[in-house]
Short mmCIF file of all heavy atoms in Angstrom, two decimals:
data_model
loop_
_atom_site.label_atom_id
_atom_site.label_comp_id
_atom_site.label_asym_id
_atom_site.label_seq_id
_atom_site.Cartn_x
_atom_site.Cartn_y
_atom_site.Cartn_z
N PHE A 1 102.81 97.52 101.48
CA PHE A 1 101.46 96.98 101.71
C PHE A 1 100.70 97.21 100.42
O PHE A 1 100.38 98.34 100.06
CB PHE A 1 100.84 97.75 102.86
CG PHE A 1 99.43 97.29 103.24
CD1 PHE A 1 99.25 96.20 104.08
CD2 PHE A 1 98.32 98.01 102.82
CE1 PHE A 1 97.95 95.86 104.45
CE2 PHE A 1 97.06 97.64 103.13
CZ PHE A 1 96.88 96.54 104.01
N LEU A 2 100.46 96.16 99.67
CA LEU A 2 99.73 96.24 98.38
C LEU A 2 98.24 95.97 98.62
O LEU A 2 97.89 94.81 98.88
CB LEU A 2 100.30 95.30 97.36
CG LEU A 2 99.60 95.20 96.01
CD1 LEU A 2 99.53 96.56 95.30
CD2 LEU A 2 100.25 94.18 95.11
N ASP A 3 97.44 96.98 98.54
CA ASP A 3 95.99 96.90 98.72
C ASP A 3 95.31 96.64 97.40
O ASP A 3 95.35 97.55 96.55
CB ASP A 3 95.51 98.18 99.39
CG ASP A 3 94.05 98.19 99.78
OD1 ASP A 3 93.31 97.29 99.36
OD2 ASP A 3 93.68 99.15 100.49
N VAL A 4 94.71 95.50 97.21
CA VAL A 4 94.12 95.15 95.89
C VAL A 4 92.63 95.28 95.92
O VAL A 4 91.92 94.80 95.00
CB VAL A 4 94.57 93.74 95.42
CG1 VAL A 4 96.06 93.69 95.21
CG2 VAL A 4 94.09 92.63 96.37
N ARG A 5 92.06 95.98 96.93
CA ARG A 5 90.63 96.20 96.98
C ARG A 5 90.18 97.19 95.91
O ARG A 5 91.00 97.95 95.36
CB ARG A 5 90.19 96.74 98.35
CG ARG A 5 90.48 95.75 99.50
CD ARG A 5 90.16 96.39 100.83
NE ARG A 5 90.98 97.60 101.01
CZ ARG A 5 90.59 98.64 101.72
NH1 ARG A 5 89.37 98.73 102.29
NH2 ARG A 5 91.36 99.70 101.87
N SER A 6 88.91 97.20 95.61
CA SER A 6 88.33 98.11 94.66
C SER A 6 88.32 99.55 95.16
O SER A 6 88.48 99.80 96.34
CB SER A 6 86.88 97.73 94.31
OG SER A 6 86.04 97.92 95.43
N TYR A 7 88.19 100.50 94.24
CA TYR A 7 88.03 101.93 94.63
C TYR A 7 86.93 102.18 95.59
O TYR A 7 87.11 102.86 96.63
CB TYR A 7 87.96 102.85 93.43
CG TYR A 7 89.22 102.90 92.63
CD1 TYR A 7 89.30 102.31 91.38
CD2 TYR A 7 90.35 103.58 93.13
CE1 TYR A 7 90.50 102.35 90.61
CE2 TYR A 7 91.51 103.62 92.40
CZ TYR A 7 91.58 103.00 91.14
OH TYR A 7 92.75 103.05 90.43
N PRO A 8 85.69 101.65 95.39
CA PRO A 8 84.64 101.87 96.35
C PRO A 8 84.92 101.34 97.74
O PRO A 8 84.62 101.93 98.74
CB PRO A 8 83.41 101.15 95.74
CG PRO A 8 83.72 101.15 94.25
CD PRO A 8 85.20 101.00 94.17
N GLU A 9 85.64 100.18 97.78
CA GLU A 9 86.03 99.61 99.12
C GLU A 9 87.00 100.53 99.84
O GLU A 9 86.87 100.77 101.06
CB GLU A 9 86.69 98.23 98.93
CG GLU A 9 85.69 97.13 98.59
CD GLU A 9 86.46 95.85 98.34
OE1 GLU A 9 87.13 95.78 97.28
OE2 GLU A 9 86.36 94.92 99.17
N VAL A 10 87.99 101.02 99.09
CA VAL A 10 88.99 101.91 99.71
C VAL A 10 88.29 103.20 100.15
O VAL A 10 88.65 103.70 101.25
CB VAL A 10 90.13 102.19 98.71
CG1 VAL A 10 91.04 103.24 99.21
CG2 VAL A 10 90.93 100.89 98.46
N GLU A 11 87.39 103.71 99.38
CA GLU A 11 86.70 104.96 99.80
C GLU A 11 85.80 104.71 101.03
O GLU A 11 85.71 105.58 101.88
CB GLU A 11 85.87 105.48 98.63
CG GLU A 11 86.72 106.04 97.55
CD GLU A 11 85.86 106.52 96.36
OE1 GLU A 11 84.68 106.70 96.45
OE2 GLU A 11 86.50 106.65 95.27
N SER A 12 85.20 103.50 101.16
CA SER A 12 84.36 103.26 102.30
C SER A 12 85.14 102.90 103.55
O SER A 12 84.70 103.19 104.67
CB SER A 12 83.33 102.15 101.96
OG SER A 12 84.03 100.93 101.84
N LEU A 13 86.31 102.37 103.41
CA LEU A 13 87.15 102.02 104.57
C LEU A 13 88.59 102.20 104.15
O LEU A 13 89.22 101.31 103.56
CB LEU A 13 86.90 100.59 105.07
CG LEU A 13 87.70 100.20 106.31
CD1 LEU A 13 87.35 101.13 107.49
CD2 LEU A 13 87.38 98.79 106.71
N GLN A 14 89.11 103.38 104.47
CA GLN A 14 90.51 103.65 104.14
C GLN A 14 91.45 103.23 105.28
O GLN A 14 91.14 103.33 106.41
CB GLN A 14 90.70 105.17 103.92
CG GLN A 14 89.93 105.68 102.76
CD GLN A 14 90.17 107.15 102.47
OE1 GLN A 14 91.10 107.77 102.98
NE2 GLN A 14 89.31 107.73 101.64
N LEU A 15 92.56 102.62 104.81
CA LEU A 15 93.53 102.12 105.77
C LEU A 15 94.73 103.07 105.67
O LEU A 15 95.54 102.96 104.77
CB LEU A 15 93.95 100.70 105.38
CG LEU A 15 92.80 99.69 105.33
CD1 LEU A 15 93.30 98.36 104.77
CD2 LEU A 15 92.22 99.50 106.72
N LYS A 16 94.82 103.97 106.57
CA LYS A 16 95.90 104.93 106.63
C LYS A 16 97.06 104.33 107.44
O LYS A 16 97.11 104.41 108.62
CB LYS A 16 95.46 106.26 107.23
CG LYS A 16 94.30 106.92 106.50
CD LYS A 16 94.82 107.51 105.20
CE LYS A 16 93.75 108.38 104.56
NZ LYS A 16 94.23 109.03 103.37
N LEU A 17 98.00 103.71 106.76
CA LEU A 17 99.09 103.06 107.38
C LEU A 17 100.45 103.74 107.17
O LEU A 17 101.48 103.12 107.39
CB LEU A 17 99.16 101.62 106.89
CG LEU A 17 97.90 100.74 107.11
CD1 LEU A 17 98.05 99.41 106.38
CD2 LEU A 17 97.72 100.57 108.59
N GLU A 18 100.47 104.98 106.74
CA GLU A 18 101.66 105.68 106.39
C GLU A 18 102.66 105.79 107.51
O GLU A 18 103.84 105.79 107.31
CB GLU A 18 101.38 107.02 105.79
CG GLU A 18 100.78 107.02 104.41
CD GLU A 18 99.32 106.63 104.32
OE1 GLU A 18 98.65 106.65 105.37
OE2 GLU A 18 98.86 106.28 103.22
N TYR A 19 102.14 105.76 108.78
CA TYR A 19 103.04 105.80 109.94
C TYR A 19 103.81 104.48 109.99
O TYR A 19 104.88 104.40 110.60
CB TYR A 19 102.28 106.01 111.26
CG TYR A 19 101.91 107.40 111.52
CD1 TYR A 19 100.57 107.84 111.45
CD2 TYR A 19 102.88 108.34 111.83
CE1 TYR A 19 100.25 109.15 111.74
CE2 TYR A 19 102.60 109.67 112.05
CZ TYR A 19 101.25 110.06 112.00
OH TYR A 19 100.93 111.39 112.26
N HIS A 20 103.24 103.46 109.48
CA HIS A 20 103.79 102.11 109.58
C HIS A 20 104.61 101.65 108.39
O HIS A 20 105.68 101.07 108.52
CB HIS A 20 102.68 101.06 109.82
CG HIS A 20 101.95 101.26 111.09
ND1 HIS A 20 102.47 100.90 112.31
CD2 HIS A 20 100.70 101.70 111.32
CE1 HIS A 20 101.58 101.16 113.22
NE2 HIS A 20 100.47 101.65 112.68
N ILE A 21 104.09 101.93 107.18
CA ILE A 21 104.57 101.24 106.01
C ILE A 21 104.13 101.98 104.74
O ILE A 21 103.14 102.69 104.79
CB ILE A 21 104.05 99.78 105.93
CG1 ILE A 21 104.77 98.91 104.97
CG2 ILE A 21 102.54 99.74 105.80
CD1 ILE A 21 104.44 97.43 105.14
N GLU A 22 104.83 101.77 103.65
CA GLU A 22 104.39 102.34 102.36
C GLU A 22 103.18 101.55 101.90
O GLU A 22 103.13 100.32 101.88
CB GLU A 22 105.50 102.23 101.31
CG GLU A 22 105.05 102.81 99.98
CD GLU A 22 106.12 102.68 98.89
OE1 GLU A 22 107.30 102.46 99.21
OE2 GLU A 22 105.73 102.77 97.70
N VAL A 23 102.15 102.28 101.44
CA VAL A 23 100.92 101.67 100.98
C VAL A 23 100.82 101.94 99.46
O VAL A 23 100.99 103.04 99.00
CB VAL A 23 99.69 102.25 101.68
CG1 VAL A 23 98.39 101.70 101.06
CG2 VAL A 23 99.73 101.97 103.17
N LEU A 24 100.54 100.90 98.72
CA LEU A 24 100.29 100.95 97.28
C LEU A 24 98.93 100.40 97.02
O LEU A 24 98.66 99.22 97.36
CB LEU A 24 101.39 100.17 96.56
CG LEU A 24 101.40 100.08 95.06
CD1 LEU A 24 101.53 101.52 94.43
CD2 LEU A 24 102.53 99.23 94.60
N HIS A 25 98.03 101.20 96.44
CA HIS A 25 96.70 100.73 96.10
C HIS A 25 96.57 100.48 94.61
O HIS A 25 96.65 101.43 93.81
CB HIS A 25 95.58 101.71 96.56
CG HIS A 25 94.23 101.32 96.15
ND1 HIS A 25 93.45 102.09 95.30
CD2 HIS A 25 93.55 100.19 96.39
CE1 HIS A 25 92.33 101.44 95.09
NE2 HIS A 25 92.31 100.29 95.71
N ILE A 26 96.43 99.25 94.24
CA ILE A 26 96.15 98.86 92.85
C ILE A 26 95.04 97.80 92.87
O ILE A 26 95.28 96.69 93.28
CB ILE A 26 97.42 98.28 92.15
CG1 ILE A 26 98.59 99.21 92.25
CG2 ILE A 26 97.11 97.96 90.69
CD1 ILE A 26 99.90 98.66 91.64
N PRO A 27 93.84 98.15 92.46
CA PRO A 27 92.74 97.17 92.43
C PRO A 27 93.14 95.93 91.58
O PRO A 27 93.92 96.05 90.61
CB PRO A 27 91.57 97.91 91.78
CG PRO A 27 91.89 99.33 92.03
CD PRO A 27 93.39 99.47 91.98
N ILE A 28 92.64 94.79 91.97
CA ILE A 28 93.04 93.56 91.34
C ILE A 28 92.91 93.60 89.79
O ILE A 28 93.75 93.10 89.06
CB ILE A 28 92.25 92.33 91.93
CG1 ILE A 28 92.83 91.00 91.33
CG2 ILE A 28 90.77 92.47 91.67
CD1 ILE A 28 92.24 89.75 91.98
N ASP A 29 91.84 94.23 89.29
CA ASP A 29 91.63 94.26 87.88
C ASP A 29 92.63 95.18 87.13
O ASP A 29 92.71 95.15 85.88
CB ASP A 29 90.18 94.65 87.52
CG ASP A 29 89.80 96.00 88.06
OD1 ASP A 29 90.13 96.32 89.19
OD2 ASP A 29 89.13 96.77 87.32
N GLU A 30 93.38 95.97 87.87
CA GLU A 30 94.39 96.87 87.25
C GLU A 30 95.81 96.32 87.39
O GLU A 30 96.76 96.88 86.86
CB GLU A 30 94.32 98.27 87.88
CG GLU A 30 93.02 98.97 87.60
CD GLU A 30 92.97 100.35 88.24
OE1 GLU A 30 94.01 100.89 88.64
OE2 GLU A 30 91.84 100.93 88.30
N ILE A 31 95.99 95.22 88.14
CA ILE A 31 97.31 94.66 88.37
C ILE A 31 98.06 94.37 87.04
O ILE A 31 99.24 94.76 86.89
CB ILE A 31 97.26 93.39 89.26
CG1 ILE A 31 96.79 93.72 90.70
CG2 ILE A 31 98.59 92.64 89.28
CD1 ILE A 31 97.78 94.51 91.55
N PRO A 32 97.46 93.70 86.07
CA PRO A 32 98.21 93.43 84.83
C PRO A 32 98.80 94.68 84.15
O PRO A 32 99.91 94.68 83.66
CB PRO A 32 97.25 92.70 83.95
CG PRO A 32 96.28 92.07 84.90
CD PRO A 32 96.14 93.09 86.02
N ASP A 33 97.98 95.77 84.15
CA ASP A 33 98.41 96.99 83.49
C ASP A 33 99.37 97.83 84.32
O ASP A 33 100.10 98.67 83.79
CB ASP A 33 97.20 97.85 83.12
CG ASP A 33 96.35 97.19 82.07
OD1 ASP A 33 96.90 96.39 81.24
OD2 ASP A 33 95.10 97.40 82.09
N ARG A 34 99.40 97.62 85.63
CA ARG A 34 100.17 98.49 86.53
C ARG A 34 101.28 97.69 87.27
O ARG A 34 101.81 98.13 88.22
CB ARG A 34 99.25 99.16 87.52
CG ARG A 34 98.24 100.12 86.83
CD ARG A 34 97.32 100.77 87.83
NE ARG A 34 98.03 101.52 88.84
CZ ARG A 34 97.42 101.99 89.93
NH1 ARG A 34 96.12 101.79 90.15
NH2 ARG A 34 98.13 102.68 90.82
N ILE A 35 101.58 96.48 86.77
CA ILE A 35 102.53 95.62 87.43
C ILE A 35 103.88 96.28 87.62
O ILE A 35 104.61 96.04 88.58
CB ILE A 35 102.67 94.26 86.71
CG1 ILE A 35 103.41 93.24 87.60
CG2 ILE A 35 103.36 94.44 85.37
CD1 ILE A 35 103.31 91.84 87.11
N GLY A 36 104.25 97.21 86.74
CA GLY A 36 105.54 97.89 86.83
C GLY A 36 105.67 98.78 88.09
O GLY A 36 106.75 99.13 88.49
N GLU A 37 104.57 99.09 88.72
CA GLU A 37 104.56 99.91 89.95
C GLU A 37 104.89 99.08 91.19
O GLU A 37 105.18 99.62 92.26
CB GLU A 37 103.21 100.61 90.18
CG GLU A 37 102.82 101.54 89.06
CD GLU A 37 101.42 102.09 89.23
OE1 GLU A 37 101.02 102.38 90.42
OE2 GLU A 37 100.75 102.28 88.24
N ILE A 38 104.83 97.76 91.07
CA ILE A 38 105.04 96.88 92.21
C ILE A 38 106.50 96.49 92.24
O ILE A 38 107.06 95.93 91.31
CB ILE A 38 104.18 95.56 92.09
CG1 ILE A 38 102.72 95.97 91.96
CG2 ILE A 38 104.40 94.66 93.28
CD1 ILE A 38 101.77 94.82 91.58
N PRO A 39 107.21 96.88 93.36
CA PRO A 39 108.66 96.63 93.40
C PRO A 39 108.97 95.14 93.51
O PRO A 39 108.32 94.39 94.18
CB PRO A 39 109.07 97.37 94.67
CG PRO A 39 107.87 97.52 95.47
CD PRO A 39 106.70 97.52 94.54
N ARG A 40 110.04 94.77 92.80
CA ARG A 40 110.51 93.36 92.84
C ARG A 40 111.54 93.19 93.94
O ARG A 40 111.78 92.02 94.34
CB ARG A 40 111.13 93.01 91.51
CG ARG A 40 110.13 92.86 90.40
CD ARG A 40 110.86 92.45 89.10
NE ARG A 40 109.90 92.26 88.03
CZ ARG A 40 109.31 91.09 87.77
NH1 ARG A 40 109.56 90.07 88.47
NH2 ARG A 40 108.44 91.04 86.73
N ASP A 41 112.19 94.28 94.40
CA ASP A 41 113.29 94.15 95.32
C ASP A 41 112.92 94.40 96.79
O ASP A 41 113.74 94.58 97.64
CB ASP A 41 114.39 95.13 94.91
CG ASP A 41 113.92 96.54 94.91
OD1 ASP A 41 112.70 96.84 94.92
OD2 ASP A 41 114.80 97.48 94.92
N ARG A 42 111.62 94.43 97.05
CA ARG A 42 111.13 94.64 98.45
C ARG A 42 110.04 93.62 98.75
O ARG A 42 109.41 93.04 97.87
CB ARG A 42 110.52 96.04 98.54
CG ARG A 42 111.54 97.14 98.26
CD ARG A 42 110.98 98.45 97.97
NE ARG A 42 110.24 98.97 99.12
CZ ARG A 42 109.51 100.08 99.05
NH1 ARG A 42 109.40 100.78 97.95
NH2 ARG A 42 108.82 100.50 100.08
N MET A 43 109.82 93.36 100.02
CA MET A 43 108.76 92.46 100.44
C MET A 43 107.43 93.18 100.15
O MET A 43 107.29 94.33 100.53
CB MET A 43 108.89 92.11 101.90
CG MET A 43 107.73 91.25 102.42
SD MET A 43 107.44 89.71 101.52
CE MET A 43 108.88 88.77 102.04
N VAL A 44 106.54 92.49 99.51
CA VAL A 44 105.20 93.06 99.21
C VAL A 44 104.17 92.17 99.89
O VAL A 44 104.05 90.97 99.58
CB VAL A 44 104.96 93.07 97.65
CG1 VAL A 44 103.55 93.56 97.36
CG2 VAL A 44 106.00 93.93 96.96
N GLY A 45 103.44 92.76 100.83
CA GLY A 45 102.33 92.08 101.51
C GLY A 45 101.04 92.46 100.75
O GLY A 45 100.68 93.63 100.68
N ILE A 46 100.35 91.47 100.22
CA ILE A 46 99.15 91.69 99.42
C ILE A 46 97.91 91.59 100.33
O ILE A 46 97.76 90.61 101.02
CB ILE A 46 99.09 90.67 98.26
CG1 ILE A 46 100.42 90.65 97.49
CG2 ILE A 46 97.88 90.98 97.34
CD1 ILE A 46 100.57 89.42 96.62
#
């Protein structure tokens, strides 16, 4: 589960989904610099 919301949004409403799925938080403006953290071999729900 790739959460692309901003840090203030995540702090105001956290989605604790660890019981369900792996959560990766990368705000949209950081995606180009952190693209290596996003797995290519797994389904990624944005």
